[in-house]
Amino acid sequence: QLTNVERTLLANVRSYRQYRQGFYTQVAIGELGVSGPRRGGSSTSFSGSFGGGVGGYIGLLQQLQRIRNTEDNLSLQLRTLAQLEALLDVGVIDLVQVDQFRQSVESERSNLLQNRNSLELSLDSYKTSTLGLSPDLSIQLDDSLIQQFQLVARAATAVQDTIVGLQDRVGELPEDATVEVVGNVLSSATMLVEPIRQQLDEVQNDLTTMEQSVPIREKTMTEADRELFQEDREQLVNTLADLEERFLEVASDIETLQGELSEQTRPASVTGLVVWLGDALRLIQRSVLVQARARLERITVEAIGLESPVAFEIALANRLDVMNARAALVDRWRSIEISANALQSVVNITASGDIKTARNNPVSFRAPTGSFRLGMEFDAPFTRLLERNAYRESLISYQQSRRSFIQSRDSVHLGLRQLLRQIEQLRTDLEIQRRAVAIAIRRVDLTRAQLYAPVTPPQPGQPVAPFGPTAAQNLIQSLASLRNTQNTFMSVWLSYYAARMRLSRELGIMTVDQDGIWIDEPIPDTNDTGPGEED
């Protein structure tokens, strides 16, 4: 019994260490996946969790980024709606299409409100169910993991909103506006030059960071994909160079407008300011597209070159529940020896005696009044029915435990094969979704460029030729596609991150420091030796 207690203590120490790994994954991705210590010791059965979605803290970050993508999409829709309303005033587009776009804006606002409320509900549930904290405790999410999915800098969005606001101010200027009023608007426009310059510098930094991720991206690319990737990078660099030239012209034009402002040139200055704001808006919009593509291309994942047989060997060598199950199977085998020992013959030598007093004297002991008996007891093996049944039961229990252990091994092997296939699927799907986001960005660029296309002058006495009947619908679909593909791309990356964390736990190589934080280490390759095999 002392040996069994010692072995149970060792098993529970192992189980507790493995439970710390599962507790981290429960907090991080909402999945425990392991069992904790047991009072009665370990079992020969063990299992793992080799699939599932993304919950926990990573799921909260996913919801947060979806809200940000919706906010960016709503901001873009509002700016586009302002252009459509301006085109409606000049008769280039009909009211039906503008109302259709207005309805899309309201739907996006409702969607944003719902997503924010859903995040608050998930956050309260996470605090109470996972962390065991009060739901009214104020906490702040560390979003460093998902900052890479912010494809458009918030500063660039603020610059676009400022330009649209200035366009509204110019549109509200009276015809007899004074030189001072026009000068104030020009001064506000001049202050946009520096933010635009900073945005272009930020785009250059993003392109530099993208180049640093090229070796990682090209490891899993074919030769044709590498050539296409090279062409895309060169196109982005050339586009940025063109934007730099346009910026010099824009900066020079605003200085000229401000320097030539006078009472005589006031109407021309207002007209020039309208043109300049349009040029500045198109400049910042093109820079945003280049930035989004650069940030999209720099997102990478670590390829895992681990085959299932090697993964299974690593798991057998490192998983603590496998060690406990193997030890429990040995305990079942030891119980056979204990039961077999009880089947042996038993010979007992017995002796008994007494001595009495005489003459009613309590201290008068006499030998003749005493007696002594000596005997022998023999229990033959063929009479040990209960012991024989216990022995047979231990044999059956051992075979059951042995089959359970083998089935658990096969289950782990099957789960690892499934998990490795899922990881490879997610890695491939990430590239597919990356291309989908790039296509969505291009669709937004092309559909929005139609708003700036010159309108064919009408014939005398004829109305202005309007846009096509599907112009607004194309804009709505392209913007919705951009938001959805961004969300899907992020979801695939986070699913890959969660699957990689799950693989580290299921291989038994997850390292958790004294604070309970996962030390992210590379997954062994097929040609490498598992961490536990050298020991």
Side-chain angles (χ1 to χ4, degrees):
Q1 291 183 359
L2 177 61
T3 302
N4 287 333
V5 171
E6 290 174 346
R7 293 171 67 83
T8 300
L9 174 62
L10 175 60
N12 284 334
V13 170
R14 289 172 176 164
S15 297
Y16 178 70
R17 181 181 177 185
Q18 189 178 33
Y19 178 79
R20 295 183 73 240
Q21 300 174 358
F23 182 74
Y24 177 83
T25 57
Q26 183 181 26
V27 173
I29 61 177
E31 175 189 291
L32 183 61
V34 299
S35 58
R38 300 177 181 177
R39 181 179 295 273
S42 58
S43 171
T44 55
S45 299
F46 54 92
S47 61
S49 179
F50 300 93
V54 178
Y57 183 73
I58 303 299
L60 294 176
L61 294 181
Q62 184 178 15
Q63 290 182 268
L64 177 62
Q65 186 58 40
R66 285 178 177 175
I67 291 176
R68 291 174 177 176
N69 291 340
T70 304
E71 290 174 346
D72 292 340
N73 185 269
L74 179 59
S75 177
L76 184 56
Q77 285 195 20
L78 291 174
R79 291 193 298 270
T80 306
L81 178 60
Q83 294 176 277
L84 292 179
E85 291 175 341
L87 295 174
L88 176 64
D89 294 338
V90 297
V92 177
I93 193 170
D94 56 79
L95 179 61
V96 174
Q97 296 193 65
V98 176
D99 283 343
Q100 189 177 18
F101 203 87
R102 288 169 177 166
Q103 187 175 11
S104 175
V105 170
E106 299 304 326
S107 298
E108 195 71 0
R109 283 174 173 163
S110 177
N111 186 29
L112 177 59
L113 181 62
Q114 182 178 358
N115 289 341
R116 286 174 175 172
N117 185 65
S118 178
L119 175 61
E120 293 297 330
L121 180 62
S122 300
L123 193 58
D124 289 343
S125 177
Y126 180 75
K127 286 185 288 187
T128 55
S129 302
T130 303
L131 301 182
L133 301 175
S134 174
D136 58 355
L137 181 65
S138 178
I139 64 175
Q140 184 176 1
L141 299 176
D142 181 6
D143 61 347
S144 57
L145 182 66
I146 61 171
Q147 285 181 356
Q148 57 183 332
F149 298 103
Q150 189 68 38
L151 300 184
V152 178
R154 291 303 177 94
T157 303
V159 173
Q160 295 181 69
D161 293 338
T162 303
I163 293 176
V164 172
L166 285 177
Q167 288 177 332
D168 294 337
R169 286 180 59 186
V170 174
E172 295 172 356
L173 289 177
E175 295 183 0
D176 57 347
T178 63
V179 175
E180 182 180 359
V181 173
V182 176
N184 291 334
V185 180
L186 280 173
S187 299
S188 301
T190 305
M191 296 176 63
L192 291 172
V193 175
E194 183 60 28
I196 295 176
R197 174 71 269 170
Q198 294 177 358
Q199 167 63 12
L200 294 179
D201 293 340
E202 185 68 23
V203 173
Q204 181 61 56
N205 294 334
D206 292 330
L207 289 177
T208 303
T209 307
M210 179 190 67
E211 290 296 329
Q212 296 175 357
S213 64
V214 169
I216 301 177
R217 291 282 311 282
E218 290 184 343
K219 283 182 180 180
T220 56
M221 287 185 178
T222 62
E223 188 62 30
D225 291 337
R226 291 192 185 97
E227 293 178 0
L228 183 60
F229 187 34
Q230 177 67 25
E231 293 177 0
D232 291 341
R233 300 201 314 272
E234 292 177 354
Q235 182 180 5
L236 292 177
V237 172
N238 295 333
T239 303
L240 180 59
D242 181 62
L243 292 178
E244 292 286 353
E245 295 179 0
R246 292 291 303 150
F247 171 75
L248 295 178
E249 296 177 2
V250 167
S252 176
D253 291 343
I254 192 63
E255 290 181 359
T256 302
L257 287 174
Q258 194 171 21
E260 294 179 352
L261 178 62
S262 63
E263 185 63 35
Q264 293 75 19
T265 61
R266 179 180 53 80
S269 297
V270 173
T271 303
L273 180 58
V274 172
V275 176
W276 185 89
L277 289 174
D279 294 339
L281 183 59
R282 286 189 289 272
L283 173 62
I284 196 69
Q285 287 176 345
R286 290 190 63 191
S287 72
V288 164
L289 296 177
V290 175
Q291 183 180 50
R293 283 298 308 275
R295 293 188 174 185
L296 176 67
E297 299 295 342
R298 73 182 185 183
I299 298 175
T300 60
V301 293
E302 178 186 353
I304 297 177
L306 186 64
E307 298 179 358
S308 59
V310 180
F312 184 52
E313 294 177 2
I314 295 175
L316 293 181
N318 293 275
R319 283 185 60 140
L320 298 175
D321 54 353
V322 176
M323 299 179 187
N324 284 342
R326 191 183 295 115
L329 184 61
V330 173
D331 290 339
R332 302 294 189 276
W333 176 81
R334 291 176 66 249
S335 67
I336 297 177
E337 297 295 324
I338 296 174
S339 299
N341 182 70
L343 288 173
Q344 298 179 4
S345 301
V346 177
V347 177
N348 294 329
I349 305 299
T350 63
S352 63
D354 56 26
I355 187 170
K356 301 179 181 180
T357 61
R359 298 187 302 274
N360 293 326
N361 188 347
V363 296
S364 178
F365 295 98
R366 296 293 183 267
T369 62
S371 64
F372 179 76
R373 293 175 296 276
L374 181 65
M376 181 181 68
E377 296 177 354
F378 176 69
D379 191 1
F382 59 81
T383 64
R384 309 185 70 77
L385 180 61
L386 296 178
E387 289 78 1
R388 183 195 64 185
N389 292 340
Y391 176 72
R392 290 177 176 176
E393 182 180 358
S394 64
L395 290 176
I396 296 174
S397 177
Y398 172 74
Q399 293 299 330
Q400 290 177 338
S401 299
R402 181 172 175 269
R403 287 193 293 269
S404 176
F405 179 75
I406 294 174
Q407 290 176 351
S408 297
R409 281 168 50 102
D410 293 341
S411 176
V412 168
H413 194 184
L414 177 64
L416 288 173
R417 290 170 61 87
Q418 175 185 352
L419 183 56
L420 289 174
R421 285 195 294 264
Q422 180 188 13
I423 289 175
E424 180 60 23
Q425 172 192 343
L426 291 171
R427 189 194 64 80
T428 305
D429 192 26
L430 185 69
E431 298 303 320
I432 296 175
Q433 299 302 327
R434 191 195 307 272
R435 292 193 294 268
V437 176
I439 294 173
I441 292 174
R442 186 165 59 247
R443 283 183 60 189
V444 171
D445 185 26
L446 294 177
T447 54
R448 199 167 53 182
Q450 296 177 0
L451 301 181
Y452 300 103
V455 180
T456 304
Q459 297 295 329
Q462 298 294 328
V464 179
F467 285 118
T470 61
Q473 185 64 31
N474 292 338
L475 283 169
I476 294 172
Q477 292 179 354
S478 63
L479 293 175
S481 176
L482 178 59
R483 180 200 59 206
N484 294 335
T485 53
Q486 281 183 277
N487 291 337
T488 304
F489 178 74
M490 175 194 60
S491 298
V492 172
W493 190 93
L494 291 178
S495 297
Y496 186 94
Y497 181 81
R500 184 175 172 276
M501 182 189 302
R502 193 177 292 114
L503 177 63
S504 178
R505 184 196 63 200
E506 296 303 321
L507 291 176
I509 60 175
M510 172 178 280
T511 303
V512 180
D513 62 16
Q514 60 182 2
D515 296 326
I517 304 300
W518 175 37
I519 302 176
D520 190 359
E521 297 177 344
I523 301 294
D525 194 82
T526 296
N527 299 322
D528 298 337
T529 301
E533 295 180 351
E534 297 180 354
D535 301 337

